[in-house]
Each structure stands twice: as structure tokens, then as C-alpha cells.
Amino acid sequence: EGFTVAILGATGAVGTRMVQQLAQSTIPVKTVKLLASARSAGKLLSFKGRALRVAATTAESFAGIDLVLASAGSTVSQRFLPIAVEQGAVCVDNTSAFRMDPTVPLVVPEVNKEILRQHHGIIANPNCSTIQMMVALNPIRRAIGLKQIIVSTYQAASGAGQSGLDEFYQEARDYLDEQPMTAEIFPIKGDHQHYPLAFNLLPQIDILEDNLYSHEEWKMIHETKKIMLGDMNASDIKVTATCVRVPVPFSHGESIWIDTGKPDATVDQVRQALANAPGVVLQDDPRHQLYPQPLNATGTRETYVGRIRPDLENPGAFNLWVVADNLLKGAAWNTVQVAECLVTDGLVHAPA
Ligand code: A2P
């Protein structure tokens, strides 16, 4: 009874949390197969109190697998997920490899789980920063309206994976010990220049494009349009973004300005829209200095919204502050949540 689930990238910052979120999910699991690079073969990880051995990933790893949860980087997903689908598996992919493929659903369950019915074997998990913004803004869009988004992110070190997190902690130790800091990963692995993240702010996440936006900013713009409007280039909602890496280990913050397009919209209506929204916790009590913070969000599945204020000079526009655990709602939990929806709706099977 139950599903055979493979976790691709099981040893990583997201993968270890996928194992944990799967164990805590409603998915009936028969067998779990933990996959990573050859470097990790033989390593032990625990699932529901049992020790499981990690295996190296090969084209043969996917025989008999019902569900694949992937977070081992885009090139690994590009290489192995089509093979897994060919062998009958349904894949939920946390990498950016297939997000903009028009035949691949890009899903935040609170927003657009209906499109899971259209899957062809691969479902993409959006970027971490996009996910928490969608959870917070979709209820406002549905209840009031949404014409424009201007977002600035405050993104945690763990978004760069376990090695990024390790580099950040080492820099912090070195700085406090008055030693020189060494940077080899941030702002991104594989670019020319590297800078310390500890005690710093880095306004570059992912590569810088020819139009001078970072690829992370590009993702927030086009993933938002695909999730909310079904088309990565839709113009009904205008989006612009500035993405910044901050010296915080876990949970992303976002300062978001929105124009609802409804000049009569009130703050009470915005609060009301969020108060009962799925996945949202309203944390907005200025009198008691209550507002979302990374330290409080970390380890939870929810998206926290606070500091809700009307723009004093633009009727119908509002400012909000949104925080969520980038490794859980931004990655592992959203992936497992999508898989739960697939199971509940009977969609864990090869496409018709
Ligand atoms: P490994 O730990 O063996 O390197 P993170 O996002 O924290 O950097 O984690 C990346 C994950 O992707 C790790 O589990 C890593 O395994 C895995 N990975 C990296 N390269 C490959 C590969 N070529 N094949 C399979 N898994 C890989």
C-alpha cells in the first residue's frame, strides 16, 4: 500500500527538508529512495525513524518509482526527469529547469492547484521568493484586485544551498575573530567576482542579464505572470523586483508595494482578504510591535504578513511585509504539498 517516492538531491539543504516534509505529510509512502551525487553514496539519512542509505543517481535509479521530488540543480533535473517520466513517474521539480515550459504547470497549491490536471509528468515548483509573494497577494487579487507589484526581497543565505550556508557561517566566525573572510560562492557560484555575505548585503541573486536585471528578479516577474495569469508575458499585472541577499540563514523577507487598481479599497478589506487565506498567518499588531520576522517563521510552513499600510498618496495602493521559510514553503514544503494534491486528486500516473 502506498507510493514509491524518490528524492533527488536528498542530501542538500532543500532535499533533507523534503525527506522531513514527506515524513510529516498525508502521502501514504511505501518506499523512499534517496538519491544524490556519487559523493554521497552510502551516506545514511533517517525517514520516520528508519535509517536509509543514499544512492548515486543514474538513469537506472527511476525504475518502479511513482513520484520524484527533485532539488539537485537544473542540469540534474534536465538530465534525469525526462527519463523518470518515461519510466512512468510523476516529478515535482524544485529547480528552474522546466518552469517556463508552457506545457509544465507552475504550481502554488493555494493559488492554482487546478492546473495540476494538465500535467504531462513534470510539475514545476516556483522560485522561493515568488511562492511566498503569491500566497500573500493572491487573496488580495481575488477579493479586491491587483494591477501592479513592486517588490524588494531580503533573501536568506540558505537559498544558495548547504555550501552557501556553510560559507556564510564561516565568514561570520572569521569576521568576529578579526580574520580575513573568504568568499567563493556568493553572490553566485560560477560568476567572476565573489563577495562576503556576512555583515554585508549583496544586490545580486543569480546571474545579471543583458537588461541589467538579475535572473532572480526575472523569475519573480515572469513566474508571477505565469502563476496568476497563465502566461509568463501577460501584461494585466505589472511586476518589478529588486532581489537582495541578506546575512540571515533562513527565511526570506519581502517588502511589497501593490496597486489594487481600486481607489476605494481599504486596509480593512486587505486584512479581511488575508485573515482567512489558506497558508497565511496575519501578524500585524503595530501596538504590540507584532510583525513577521525570519527567526519566527523558520521551521514552519506558513507565510506571514504584516506591516499592512495604505500608500498615503496613492489611493488603492498598499505596502506589506511578508516572511516565509525559504526552504519549506519556498521549496521543500511546496513540493511535498503539490505531491499531496496529486495524490488526493488521483493524478499520480503517466499522462494520458
Ligand atoms: P551531494 O550532497 O552528493 O553533492 P544543495 O542545494 O544544498 O547544494 O544540494 C544539492 C543537492 O544536489 C545535493 O543533494 C547534491 O548531492 C545533489 N547533487 C549535486 N550534483 C548532483 C548530481 N550530478 N547527481 C545527483 N545529485 C546531485
Side-chain angles (χ1 to χ4, degrees), residues 196-218:
L197 177 62
F199 302 94
N200 202 8
L201 297 169
L202 296 173
Q204 179 190 354
I205 303 184
D206 213 325
I207 53 159
L208 296 176
E209 314 258 5
D210 290 344
N211 68 7
L212 308 184
Y213 281 76
S214 69
H215 193 56
E216 186 84 352
E217 291 158 355
W218 185 97

Side-chain angles (χ1 to χ4, degrees), residues 8-14 36-37 39-40 57 71-73 76 80 160-163 189:
L8 178 51
T11 54
V14 173
S37 80
R39 294 180 293 274
S40 300
T57 312
S71 196
V76 175
F80 290 111
Q162 191 58 48
S163 54
K189 250 185 240 171

Side-chain angles (χ1 to χ4, degrees), residues 3 31 67 135-136 226 228 232 238 253 261 283 322 338 346:
F3 296 94
T31 315
L67 260 172
V135 173
K226 178 165 173 177
M228 286 188 158
M232 65 173 279
K238 291 194 272 184
Q283 236 175 25
V322 177
V338 166

Side-chain angles (χ1 to χ4, degrees), residues 113-114 116-117 339-349:
K113 81 184 192 81
E114 310 73 45
L116 284 173
R117 304 201 166 279
E340 278 189 356
C341 295
L342 290 168
V343 168
T344 308
D345 295 345
L347 296 169
V348 185
H349 53 67

Side-chain angles (χ1 to χ4, degrees), residues 184-205:
E184 288 166 355
I185 293 175
F186 290 108
I188 66 152
K189 250 185 240 171
D191 210 337
H192 304 290
Q193 297 286 338
H194 295 288
Y195 308 109
L197 177 62
F199 302 94
N200 202 8
L201 297 169
L202 296 173
Q204 179 190 354
I205 303 184

